[in-house]
Amino acid sequence: MRSAHTVAQVRTAEAALLATLPEGTLMQRAATGLAYAVLDLLGGGYGRRVLLLVGSGDNGGDALHAGALLARRGVQVSAWLLGDRAHAGGLAALRNAGGGVVRGADQAAAAAGPDFRPGLPRHVDLVIDGITGIGGRGPLRPDAAALLKRLAGIPVVAVDVPSGIEVDSGEVGGPHVEATLTVTFGTHKVAHLVDPAARACGVVELVDIGLDLPTAPVESLQAADVAALLPRPTPEAQKYSRGVVGVRAGSTRYPGAALLSVSGAACGLAGMVRYVGSAAEVVKQHHPEVVGEGRVQAWVVGSGTDADAADHLQRALADEVPVVIDADALAVPDLQERLDKSGARDGEHAVLTPHAGELAAMLEVERAEIEARPLEHARAAASTYGAVVLLKGRRTLVARPDGRVRVNTTGTPWLATAGAGDVLGGLVGALLAAGLAPFDAASVGAWLHGAAAQAASEGGPIVAGDIAHHVPPVLRDLLRG
């Protein structure tokens, strides 16, 4: 499990560890990990040129101490100080190792002319961002933003987090660092996993510095976690005991939605798939194993149901089994009231699977608001509707009503294709029917869906049906270990 902790949790853990260590030990651990990550990215030290952008806090200290280590490995290192002060020990270490420092009036003179690097190498291979760190708030100051603009095109390694992003929310409110690599310490932070900030982090490398941390509010399943959660048939299993998933999807106008939803459900995780809707003939042509209406352990409802969405939703809720609510069913005007009356509004019986536009309508906000603050709005929707909310996106979020969140990191940009969400809904429904709780079913379903898309794509375009076809091979690989 990849855990993402808040700033307060990290600060508390750091304070507890610092009390047991000699002064400066924690910073040296962080700086050493940072320096080796930079050397790995550069492919060596001798002849390379690195520029440190240094703020006044401990983040700048990490960068300066790392710069000293790099200088001792043959790297030409210069530090550009963005404040009136900098970490004294780090400055001394860098100077003792032969590094250069530019500050104060030198910066003002540099900014005035076409050559903005007096005392610095004219060619820079890599920039280390040590401007703010996890204690920073708000966007970059104008001077830092202007300097970074002049350094555009040079790879940036961020220390802990890219400066200018909001660490605990994953939001971005203005100018910020766009890193090629982020080297973080002790644990991942929320911004490393949650968009839009996660996009600014580039590749994230974690350096263990020995922190003892509590349970994280945000986490991300890894392959081993998914494998451990997958339902497996017992030796005495039969098709009913393995779970029956029902699909209410499609319409005369959108028969393909029924086929794709069933394709996701018919991945082999449940013992039987039932289909109810107007596209039965299309479904049977492609899935002769699918049967008609009857008792189920979970329903998937909404994809392509058009004008029949409210009726399908009501019938699914009446069975008092877990239900995946997608697409047209999310737009039913009294959805919240229907969940209340059915008893499904308890966080344990419903999974809602909106994309940003659908969630915007559900919460009566603009789509841009959802995209700017997806974590906040996914949590708000889960609390409002009393259900697990799977907010689809580049980094899909799965939120519980109590605020706990999982972030899915599998997938490919090619996954943004019509019908992919229908497959996902069916897949989550199969996991529900097989016995997983809604939070686990949604999290595992999102992971499998993204992994199948990656397998299907191999770097090229895909259509939704390709995703469904690649779910069983992904499952086999996981089950084999």
Side-chain angles (χ1 to χ4, degrees):
M1 190 79 70
R2 183 175 296 166
S3 299
H5 291 83
T6 64
V7 172
Q9 288 177 316
V10 172
R11 291 297 194 213
T12 300
E14 286 178 341
L17 183 57
L18 282 168
T20 70
L21 296 173
E23 185 177 355
T25 301
L26 209 57
M27 184 170 285
Q28 288 295 339
R29 289 179 182 177
T32 300
L34 173 62
Y36 278 105
V38 169
L39 287 169
D40 186 56
L41 184 61
L42 288 172
Y46 285 98
R48 306 300 199 276
R49 298 178 179 183
V50 170
L51 174 63
L52 314 178
L53 303 184
V54 180
S56 59
D58 285 347
N59 208 56
D62 294 335
L64 289 165
H65 277 291
L69 291 169
L70 292 170
R72 289 197 288 270
R73 289 297 190 94
V75 179
Q76 184 176 339
V77 181
S78 298
W80 187 286
L81 307 189
L82 286 158
D84 295 331
R85 59 187 176 86
H87 190 275
L91 276 175
L94 180 63
R95 286 189 171 115
N96 289 338
V101 177
V102 178
R103 69 156 83 215
D106 294 332
Q107 292 183 30
D115 181 0
F116 65 98
R117 300 174 186 165
L120 304 179
R122 291 179 178 276
H123 172 73
V124 174
D125 295 299
L126 184 141
V127 173
I128 295 180
D129 161 32
I131 302 172
T132 55
I134 65 172
R137 292 291 182 273
L140 291 172
R141 295 183 326 202
D143 59 334
L147 179 56
L148 280 162
K149 187 175 182 180
R150 296 192 183 196
L151 294 166
I154 301 173
V156 177
V157 175
V159 181
D160 221 358
V161 293
S163 298
I165 66 173
E166 297 295 334
V167 182
D168 282 349
S169 67
E171 297 168 15
V172 173
H176 59 279
V177 169
E178 294 276 353
T180 303
L181 170 69
T182 295
V183 181
T184 193
F185 313 115
T187 181
H188 289 85
K189 285 71 179 179
V190 175
H192 296 139
L193 297 181
V194 175
D195 278 340
R199 285 195 294 268
C201 293
V203 176
V204 179
E205 183 172 326
L206 177 64
V207 175
D208 184 5
I209 56 174
L211 298 184
D212 184 14
L213 292 152
T215 301
V218 176
E219 58 192 17
S220 175
L221 296 183
Q222 305 304 293
D225 305 311
V226 174
L229 286 167
L230 284 177
R232 292 165 169 79
T234 61
E236 65 275 10
Q238 37 92 359
K239 60 187 177 184
Y240 296 108
S241 67
R242 291 189 57 212
V244 180
V245 55
V247 177
R248 291 180 171 272
S251 59
T252 303
R253 187 178 182 186
Y254 301 115
L259 180 59
L260 291 169
S261 295
V262 167
S263 295
C267 59
L269 287 169
M272 179 184 289
V273 180
R274 297 185 182 276
Y275 173 74
V276 178
S278 59
E281 289 305 313
V282 174
V283 168
K284 288 178 182 178
Q285 287 175 13
H286 293 84
H287 291 280
E289 76 280 6
V290 173
V291 298
E293 191 166 4
R295 188 174 178 180
V296 300
Q297 278 71 58
W299 278 108
V300 179
V301 58
S303 298
T305 47
D306 203 22
D308 297 328
D311 181 61
H312 278 299
L313 176 62
Q314 189 60 36
R315 292 177 182 273
L317 291 174
D319 275 351
E320 298 183 349
V321 297
V323 57
V324 179
I325 301 173
D326 187 32
D328 294 328
L330 294 170
V332 172
D334 56 350
L335 174 59
Q336 190 174 340
E337 182 181 345
R338 288 173 185 257
L339 291 172
D340 278 331
K341 288 181 178 179
S342 70
R345 195 177 178 276
D346 59 1
E348 297 299 327
H349 288 88
V351 177
L352 314 183
T353 60
H355 55 58
E358 291 164 336
L359 189 62
M362 291 165 64
L363 295 177
E364 298 181 338
V365 300
E366 295 296 321
R367 179 177 183 138
E369 289 290 310
I370 304 294
E371 292 172 339
R373 294 191 290 279
L375 180 61
E376 174 187 326
H377 288 101
R379 281 174 165 159
S383 176
T384 298
Y385 285 87
V388 169
V389 171
L390 186 158
L391 174 57
K392 292 177 279 196
R394 188 190 82 100
R395 290 286 174 91
T396 291
L397 303 180
V398 180
R400 289 187 1 165
D402 64 2
R404 186 179 172 195
V405 174
R406 285 180 179 157
V407 185
N408 182 58
T409 58
T410 62
T412 166
W414 296 107
L415 185 52
T417 186
D422 303 338
V423 175
L424 174 60
L427 181 53
V428 174
L431 289 160
L432 281 176
L436 291 193
F439 188 55
D440 287 337
S443 306
V444 171
W447 193 97
L448 292 172
H449 187 251
Q454 287 174 299
S457 170
E458 295 185 339
I462 55 175
V463 295
D466 298 333
I467 304 167
H469 290 313
H470 279 78
V471 171
V474 168
L475 288 169
R476 283 193 291 272
D477 288 344
L478 287 170
L479 291 168
R480 288 170 183 159

